[in-house]
């Protein structure tokens, strides 16, 4: 089991809450209130928040706490465009090198995403999704690429996740990760690239906030 510090665990939970939209842009959050939310003291929250300040995910509001930074519609479009350039061909390229014995692990990671959706926990869902996608990229043995994708994902805002959950559609979206594993296990590089491209495109499709006006 991966060993991480409390600060890192809190940081991951905070990133997931920001990405999923549970922590809203422009809202000021105090360390004590977030500590109560995640069941920890205020200290690891402050430490994790300072890490997120350096990543430009939040900003300090003196004597009040931290504010989630805004991400524009153009920013989200650009993030998606870059991910589409990187991830589909990268995952397609590693299709033939994933050992057969690793598919049980990949299916377990995919199931964690489904579990998060079924539980209605957007933070768990978002973190499980992050772990799954970065695990696939790890087979490319290109840490710079993995770090870039991780950073892009951290700056994404999936405003539509809550709406998908309310409509009962999030579990179906989560199951797309099993379809990705199916395609990889078939060793069909064209199918892998196609399913990855379709999946990532959802970030600017049904995962976008329907109440937000696109600035295309």
């Amino acid at each position: 089991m991966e060993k991480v510090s409390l600060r890192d665990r809190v940081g991951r939970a905070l990133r997931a809450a920001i990405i999923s939209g549970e922590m809203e842009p422009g809202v000021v959050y105090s360390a004590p209130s977030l500590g109560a939310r995640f069941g920890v003291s205020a200290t690891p929250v402050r430490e994790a928040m300072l890490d997120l300040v350096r990543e430009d995910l939040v900003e300090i509001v003196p004597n009040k706490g931290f504010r989630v930074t805004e991400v524009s519609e153009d920013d989200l479009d650009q993030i998606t465009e870059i991910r589409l350039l990187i991830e589909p061909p990268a995952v397609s390229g590693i299709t033939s090198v994933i050992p057969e014995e690793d598919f049980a692990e990949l299916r377990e990671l995919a199931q964690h995403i489904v579990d998060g959706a079924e539980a209605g926990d957007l933070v768990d869902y978002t973190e499980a999704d992050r772990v799954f996608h970065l695990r696939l990229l790890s087979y490319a043995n290109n840490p710079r690429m993995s770090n870039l994708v991780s950073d892009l994902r951290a700056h994404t805002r999936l405003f539509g996740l809550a709406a998908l959950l309310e409509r009962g559609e999030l579990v179906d979206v989560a199951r797309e990760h099993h379809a990705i594993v199916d395609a990889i296990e078939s060793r069909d590089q064209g199918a892998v690239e196609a399913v990855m491209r379709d999946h990532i495109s959802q970030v600017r499709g049904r995962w976008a906030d329907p109440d937000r006006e696109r600035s295309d």
Side-chain angles (χ1 to χ4, degrees):
M1 195 173 212
E2 184 183 10
K3 294 182 179 179
V4 294
S5 68
L6 180 58
R7 172 178 179 166
D8 289 338
R9 290 202 303 273
V10 172
R12 289 183 181 183
L14 290 170
R15 284 187 190 89
I18 291 169
I19 293 167
S20 69
E22 284 205 359
M23 290 178 61
E24 300 178 16
V27 175
V28 177
Y29 296 90
S30 70
S33 67
L34 289 172
R37 177 175 178 174
F38 292 109
V40 297
S41 70
T43 299
V45 173
R46 290 192 185 94
E47 293 172 344
M49 276 296 199
L50 291 176
D51 292 334
L52 300 187
V53 168
R54 287 189 284 272
E55 297 172 27
D56 197 31
L57 295 180
V58 299
E59 57 189 8
I60 297 173
V61 180
N63 302 318
K64 292 185 178 180
F66 302 87
R67 180 188 293 119
V68 177
T69 56
E70 301 274 357
V71 177
S72 72
E73 295 293 300
D74 284 343
D75 288 334
L76 294 175
D77 286 337
Q78 291 167 20
I79 288 170
T80 304
E81 182 178 359
I82 297 170
R83 287 189 62 194
L84 285 170
L85 289 172
I86 295 173
E87 292 182 68
V91 177
S92 174
I94 55 88
T95 297
S96 62
V97 304
I98 297 179
E100 286 291 335
E101 58 268 24
D102 285 10
F103 282 106
E105 176 199 353
L106 294 176
R107 291 201 179 278
E108 183 178 357
L109 293 177
Q111 186 57 40
H112 287 168
I113 305 171
V114 177
D115 293 343
E118 290 179 338
D121 191 324
L122 296 183
V123 171
D124 280 356
Y125 176 95
T126 306
E127 173 61 11
D129 182 71
R130 182 192 73 85
V131 171
F132 175 84
H133 283 275
L134 293 182
R135 179 67 179 106
L136 290 182
L137 289 177
S138 72
Y139 289 100
N141 293 316
N142 187 334
R144 289 181 183 272
M145 178 176 66
S146 295
N147 289 338
L148 174 58
V149 170
S150 180
D151 181 68
L152 290 170
R153 290 177 59 87
H155 287 83
T156 300
R157 300 290 187 270
L158 304 180
F159 296 110
L161 281 181
L164 285 174
L165 179 62
E166 290 174 5
R167 296 198 302 268
E169 299 174 10
L170 189 59
V171 173
D172 288 337
V173 174
R175 288 179 180 142
E176 292 177 2
H177 297 86
H178 281 295
I180 293 171
V181 179
D182 289 341
I184 296 172
E185 195 165 19
S186 76
R187 308 297 187 180
D188 184 336
Q189 290 184 310
V192 171
E193 183 159 358
V195 72
M196 284 293 298
R197 184 169 298 280
D198 182 66
H199 180 69
I200 294 171
S201 295
Q202 304 308 321
V203 174
R204 300 306 292 137
R206 64 188 177 209
W207 288 16
D209 188 338
D211 296 327
R212 284 176 169 252
E213 182 178 353
R214 291 281 305 280
S215 55
D216 294 341

